Amino acid sequence: QKEVEQNSGPLSVPEGAIASLNCTYSDRGSQSFFWYRQYSGKSPELIMSIYSNGDKEDGRFTAQLNKASQYVSLLIRDSQPSDSATYLCAVTSTGGGNKLTFGTGTQLKVEL
Amino acid sequence: DAMVIQNPRYQVTQFGKPVTLSCSQTLNHNVMYWYQQKSSQAPKLLFHYYDKDFNNEADTPDNFQSRRPNTSFCFLDIRSPGLGDAAMYLCATSRDGYEQYFGPGTRLTVT
């Protein structure tokens, strides 16, 4: 079974610090990787997509992908209380057409 | 603004009483998905339409059906809701299966 694993947390970081969220996946053929932010009671919001090895930066967010290690991470710089949410890692499945496999998410708490 | 819209946002139904949830999109995306998400769990894909082609997940109960009458609209029908079907139902869209964008969701309560 194709899996995406994340530490459920909560991950607590002080305001202004860097938050590091990690994700591993089992399907070696996966090609597309996404990070979603989900506030409690709300729907997932796409914040980053990454398709090739290396880093991709967008504002305070940096996604990192290492396909050889089957590992994708999200760094949030200058963390703010408004970043407190659950972060879902999602990976496309090979042979599955257009489907995403989600991890169960990491809860991030940014403390004042 | 282009968006994914779900109605209603909150739905209360009785055990066994059919219910329909709707999704519309102005993104002109050709793929539409329905997910079920329960508390503290990952979204679970129920089915998706790639253009007009319907793709059901193997473990989606027969109690769940879907219709896509045109590019913009998609419906989720739950024929006989059970207590275990109480969840957030999420509609998402994408262009050719790339980045998926979610609507706000419908919270379903079964009494």
Side-chain angles (χ1 to χ4, degrees), chain A residues 22 24-25 34 41 62 65 73-74 77 80-81 83 95 106 108:
Chain A
N22 304 313
T24 58
Y25 59 94
F34 306 92
T62 298
L65 175 61
S73 65
L74 179 70
R77 289 182 298 282
Q80 302 296 310
D83 295 326
T106 298
L108 173 66

Side-chain angles (χ1 to χ4, degrees), chain A:
Chain A
Q1 183 173 349
K2 299 168 184 174
E3 294 181 345
V4 176
E5 296 191 358
Q6 300 180 252
N7 188 323
S8 62
L11 172 65
S12 293
V13 299
E15 183 177 8
I18 295 175
S20 178
L21 306 166
N22 304 313
C23 171
T24 58
Y25 59 94
S26 63
D27 186 351
R28 186 169 288 279
S30 295
Q31 296 294 320
S32 304
F33 307 86
F34 306 92
W35 284 99
Y36 286 84
R37 178 175 62 197
Q38 188 171 27
Y39 293 112
S40 180
K42 304 296 185 181
S43 64
E45 175 191 5
L46 179 65
I47 55 172
M48 289 290 286
S49 58
I50 187 166
Y51 302 98
S52 56
N53 281 330
D55 294 0
K56 178 182 178 182
E57 185 175 320
D58 184 0
R60 296 187 296 113
F61 298 100
T62 298
Q64 300 174 317
L65 175 61
N66 184 326
K67 289 184 180 179
S69 300
Q70 296 175 246
Y71 176 91
V72 58
S73 65
L74 179 70
L75 301 178
I76 306 174
R77 289 182 298 282
D78 188 23
S79 294
Q80 302 296 310
S82 59
D83 295 326
S84 298
T86 296
Y87 289 80
L88 299 168
C89 175
V91 176
T92 53
S93 304
T94 56
N98 310 289
K99 298 187 293 188
L100 289 179
T101 300
F102 283 86
T104 54
T106 298
Q107 184 183 6
L108 173 66
K109 293 184 177 180
V110 180
E111 299 169 334
L112 295 172

